[in-house]
Amino acid sequence: MRVVCVWRRESEYGRALEEWIMEFERRTGREVESLEPDEAEGEQFCRTYDVVEYPTIMVLSNGGEVLANWRGQQLPLFDEVSYWATR
């Protein structure tokens, strides 16, 4: 499973999301893949998964299927993301 976060570091939510990612990784031991929508890899990811709102946190299966996603500045609970990331 992959946990992917698409966000802009230089934004009003950047600091809060950076702290969320660090705390999620510390508590769960799972890595969060960070992508910037303005970089080539992030742009391709956004096109593939139709991401138009930032931040977006997605849990993807090993085959690339979207298992869960959260969009906007209301960040999900660690338990919510962890639940989907361990299925």
Side-chain angles (χ1 to χ4, degrees):
M1 305 291 169
R2 288 172 58 194
V3 178
V4 181
C5 184
V6 182
W7 60 299
R8 290 187 171 106
R9 292 184 192 280
E10 301 299 323
S11 63
E12 65 276 359
Y13 58 80
R15 179 70 178 158
L17 191 55
E18 189 172 4
E19 289 174 1
W20 186 94
I21 290 171
M22 288 188 316
E23 186 64 18
F24 178 81
E25 291 178 340
R26 185 186 71 76
R27 287 188 188 188
T28 66
R30 300 191 71 83
E31 183 178 337
V32 176
E33 184 180 336
S34 290
L35 296 173
E36 291 256 357
D38 301 320
E39 295 177 358
E41 185 180 2
E43 186 177 328
Q44 181 61 40
F45 183 89
C46 289
R47 274 197 216 125
T48 301
Y49 290 101
D50 195 29
V51 175
V52 294
E53 187 175 356
Y54 312 110
T56 293
I57 299 171
M58 301 179 87
V59 178
L60 305 174
S61 70
N62 292 333
E65 178 185 355
V66 177
L67 300 177
N69 69 50
W70 298 267
R71 295 176 183 210
Q73 295 183 33
Q74 180 67 31
L75 299 175
L77 300 174
F78 298 136
D79 289 343
E80 290 178 295
V81 179
S82 184
Y83 169 80
W84 285 102
T86 57
R87 295 195 83 203

